[in-house]
């Protein structure tokens, strides 16, 4: 496994956000490669959760669309690319809330 392989969806979202923070230089090839890897892995990580198929398929489809867009150019990421990655992170975050384990822990804490 790669050193940047995420533990779970929350970790994946966190890793993507930390890598696209405003102070990063997207001409840095290793950083760009990690971001592309993380986007590529969304579907696989989501499929390993207990999300229903109906909940993880949109994550997979969204990640594939973002991935294709990122790989279409070798230019540094544009603001639009960064917005797409952030939208993917928001979709991941919304999906995490749908996992049965998450719902159980929310009920247990009375949230």
């Amino acid at each position: 496994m790669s050193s940047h392989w995420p533990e779970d969806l929350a970790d994946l979202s966190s890793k993507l956000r930390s890598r696209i923070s405003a102070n990063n230089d997207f001409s840095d090839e290793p950083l760009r490669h990690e971001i592309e890897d993380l986007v590529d892995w969304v579907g696989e990580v989501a499929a390993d959760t207990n999300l229903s198929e109906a909940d993880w398929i949109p994550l997979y489809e969204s990640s594939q669309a973002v991935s294709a867009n990122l790989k279409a150019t070798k230019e540094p990421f544009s603001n639009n690319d960064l917005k797409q990655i952030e939208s993917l992170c928001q979709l991941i975050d919304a999906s995490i809330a749908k996992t049965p384990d998450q719902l159980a822990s929310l009920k247990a804490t009375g949230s």
Side-chain angles (χ1 to χ4, degrees):
M1 271 310 138
S2 290
S3 60
H4 53 283
W5 179 263
E7 293 174 27
D8 54 25
L9 281 173
D11 187 41
L12 194 152
S13 178
S14 173
K15 285 181 174 182
L16 269 175
R17 284 192 169 110
S18 71
R19 283 160 176 79
I20 65 168
S21 63
N23 59 354
N24 282 329
D25 172 10
F26 299 111
S27 62
D28 176 40
E29 203 55 42
L31 174 66
R32 182 185 181 99
H33 188 69
E34 281 190 20
I35 292 169
E36 289 175 353
D37 282 349
L38 289 163
V39 170
D40 281 343
W41 295 336
V42 169
E44 190 175 343
V45 174
D48 287 343
T49 68
N50 52 10
L51 279 171
S52 70
E53 189 172 341
D55 287 329
W56 71 256
I57 296 240
L59 282 174
Y60 170 76
E61 290 173 346
S62 179
S63 71
Q64 292 303 293
V66 173
S67 179
N69 187 45
L70 296 179
K71 291 176 180 174
T73 178
K74 290 297 170 200
E75 299 295 314
F77 295 143
S78 68
N79 282 339
N80 189 44
D81 293 332
L82 300 179
K83 286 178 185 167
Q84 286 186 1
I85 294 168
E86 176 56 33
S87 293
L88 179 60
C89 289
Q90 290 172 7
L91 186 61
I92 292 167
D93 295 345
S95 297
I96 292 167
K98 296 177 184 176
T99 59
D101 290 348
Q102 192 67 24
L103 293 173
S105 65
L106 288 174
K107 288 177 184 158
T109 59
S111 298

